[in-house]
Each structure stands twice: as structure tokens, then as C-alpha cells.
Amino acid sequence: MNRLSFLVTTEIPSPGMEILRAAGTVHVPGFRLSPEELSRECASGSYDVVVSQLRDRLDADLLARARLTGISNYAAGFDNIDISAAARHSIMVGNTPGILTDATADVTLLLILATARRAVEADALMRAGRYMGWEPQFMLGLDVSGATLGLAGFGRIARATARRAIAFGMKIIFCPRPPGHRPVTAGELAEFGGEARAVGWDELVATSDFLSLHVPLSPETHHLVDEDVLGRMKSSAILINTARGPVVDEPALVRALRNGGIAAAGLDVYENEPSMSPGLAELPNTVLLPHLGSATTSVRAEMARICARNAVAMAGGNRPEHEVVAGVPAP
Ligand code: GLV
Ligand code: GLV
């Protein structure tokens, strides 16, 4: 019997590597493959499945040449893969949804609290030895309790964020598939007992004290938050992005933060990762994390297990447990 063969572009946590090694031959290059090298490896016919990362771009050109039965993406998101091109070439795609929901919602709350209470600015001041003692007017921030949290999107991560925010006394409004709309089922709302209200995108933008993004990156959501939207937000509003960088026009965000168009931003993702738009890092009213949404030891280990099981299934010609299907939008 032919051994299954895997190309793992970047080593994943050991529970996943063990599953792959038990099932077949695993090749880990040990350096970052260039786009050309990745394309050549995928076309070589040496591998059944590639285990990919968000930074590996699997575009239509690469997929047209690829000789693979599947792509197992080590992420919930899959905007790095041209899903319809994969389908055209009968290449299955797996992802790791669900398990990183709570961890990512935690990071969303972390950014809401840190921006509202100026945690990073305050920490820098302490470390610089600039704390001169308690003062009535020192480093005042914004109330989270009583503030309106507007959720762009109403998938798993948005709903997990809403549950946490309700515990902090926030009012929840949401737009389920901005900039358009989709009907919301009673089932989706049941757990919130009337504490979350669906609104249109324009109302969400204009009335949120915190506007938090929870949409997949797609042509519809690219630059969802642009100059115009930033201009329609309250000047006291805070933008939170734990979704995907290109959902925000980052240079426009820098301008809005600089000229008082909005009050602050908490970001975990960037338009051109790993770089940041000039100016962003110099602004005091930003909290900047390096894409840590799913970064806990246990979540990354579980992602590795799911990713490896998806890979083994596809290498054996079977559908993966978590399959990304062309034309079906993310929740
Ligand atoms: C992280 O951004 C993921 O999609 O898993
Ligand atoms: C991500 O897993 C989401 O469904 O929001």
C-alpha cells in the first residue's frame, strides 16, 4: 500500500504532527517556502495533501497546476485559498472552525477593555517611571458598562463576544451580514433573551460606541470599514478588529485616529500582515496585538488535531470532518 504523503509548510503543534506521522510520510521544509517553491511542491505529485497556514497563498494559478487531493488549512479562516478554484480542480479543503471561538472572543473583550481603559498607554507610562501618584483627572477612559457594542457579523465568534459583553453590562446590537442583511432566526437570538437587537449596517455604524468586526474576508467585506464608514462613526467610538485586516482600509483608519474621527482602535489583524500601516504604531489611542485570537496552548493543540485528521481523511480520498465548501458562506 502506498503511504500517504503530506507537505506541512510550517510545523504544527505535536498532537497534529503525531497524527500525520502515524498516517504517512511528512515533509516539513524547515524554512518558509516562497510562493514559487510552494507552487512547485504542490505541482510535484509528491504529496497527497498540503497542510497550509494563512500566510500560504493557494491561488487559482497554483491550484490549476497542483496535484493534490486536499488542502488542510491550519485556521478557521480560509481567505488564503481560492475555494472555487480548488473545487474546479477537485481539491478538497479542510479548516478548523468552532474550537477557537471562545479564545477569539476573549481577545475581542481584551481589546474592548484595553482600549476603553487605556491599558497599553498606562502600562508604558508605569514602565517609563512616569507615574506621579493618584490624581482625580489622570488617564481617564470610557465606560464599558452601559456602552453599545455593535457587532458586524453574527457568527460563532460574534455571539461568544455578545455573551461576554452582556456580562459587562454592554448593550448589544448587530448586523448579521454587513453591508447587506440576512434574516436572523429565532434560534440565533434565543440565548440572548431580548438583549441583542439586529439593525442595518448604517445604524450599526452610526450608533455603536464599540464597533467590533466578525466577518470573514470576502469581496463583499473587503474595506467594509473605509473612509466613508469611519466618517459616519461617532467621534467617541472605538473600532475593534479580530477578524481580518483587509476588512478595514488601514491608511484611512490611521487618518481617522489621528484627526479625531474616531477615539481609538484595538486591532489583532492588519491589512498587510505582518506589516502595519505607517503611523499606526505611533498613535497612543491604539492597542495592537499580533494576530493572537486563537493563540492559547490548548486551542492551538486542538486545531492541530483537527487539521491533521482533516488531512488524513483527504489523503485517503475521504471528505474531511470540517470541510470548506465553495459557495457556502462562513457562518
Ligand atoms: C485565524 O485567524 C484563523 O482563521 O484561524
Ligand atoms: C468562526 O469560527 C466563526 O464562525 O465566527
Side-chain angles (χ1 to χ4, degrees), residues 155-225:
R156 281 174 284 213
I157 297 170
R159 292 198 300 273
T161 299
R163 286 195 287 278
R164 286 159 173 73
I166 288 169
F168 277 91
M170 301 186 86
K171 300 193 193 84
I172 312 297
I173 54 177
F174 65 93
C175 176
R177 189 164 292 154
H181 208 66
R182 71 163 170 82
V184 182
T185 66
E188 284 176 281
L189 286 173
E191 65 169 308
F192 298 108
E195 290 198 79
R197 188 167 60 87
V199 299
W201 175 233
D202 288 345
E203 182 177 345
L204 195 87
V205 166
T207 61
S208 296
D209 295 312
F210 293 82
L211 178 61
S212 187
L213 308 178
H214 302 281
V215 291
L217 177 62
S218 68
E220 291 72 44
T221 62
H222 182 264
H223 283 191
L224 176 69
V225 176

Side-chain angles (χ1 to χ4, degrees), residues 23 27 35 67 90 129 136 139 157 188 250 270 331:
H27 177 61
R67 290 160 62 202
S90 305
M139 288 234 76
I157 297 170
E188 284 176 281
E250 208 170 86
Y270 303 87

Side-chain angles (χ1 to χ4, degrees), residues 253-287:
L253 173 63
V254 172
R255 288 192 295 276
L257 288 166
R258 206 179 260 153
N259 66 25
I262 67 169
L267 307 176
D268 190 39
V269 289
Y270 303 87
E271 191 161 5
N272 295 300
E273 288 180 33
S275 41
M276 270 190 288
S277 289
L280 203 52
E282 286 72 33
L283 287 162
N285 51 346
T286 54
V287 174

Side-chain angles (χ1 to χ4, degrees), residues 6 17 36 50 55 81 125 168-169 183 200 220 226 253 258 264 274:
F6 304 97
M17 295 306 291
E36 298 72 32
V50 57
R55 61 188 188 200
I81 304 171
L125 175 145
F168 277 91
E220 291 72 44
D226 59 8
L253 173 63
R258 206 179 260 153

Side-chain angles (χ1 to χ4, degrees), residues 104 107 111 241-243 266-270 273 287-294:
T104 307
V107 168
L111 289 173
N241 190 5
T242 54
L267 307 176
D268 190 39
V269 289
Y270 303 87
E273 288 180 33
V287 174
L288 307 171
L289 299 180
H291 205 146
L292 296 181
S294 66

Side-chain angles (χ1 to χ4, degrees), residues 50-127:
V50 57
V51 174
S52 55
Q53 304 290 326
L54 288 170
R55 61 188 188 200
D56 298 320
R57 189 141 293 287
L58 297 144
D59 59 16
D61 281 350
L62 180 150
L63 293 166
R65 282 194 288 272
R67 290 160 62 202
L68 298 166
T69 59
I71 299 163
S72 185
N73 213 38
Y74 183 69
F78 41 81
D79 45 276
N80 57 315
I81 304 171
D82 186 331
I83 300 300
S84 33
R88 277 199 304 281
H89 300 292
S90 305
I91 300 172
M92 292 178 276
V93 179
N95 69 335
T96 66
I99 46 166
L100 46 70
T101 302
D102 284 326
T104 307
D106 287 348
V107 168
T108 308
L109 262 293
L110 170 67
L111 289 173
I112 289 173
L113 295 169
T115 48
R117 301 302 296 274
R118 305 169 63 180
V120 168
E121 206 185 334
D123 178 273
L125 175 145
M126 278 309 284
R127 288 171 199 272

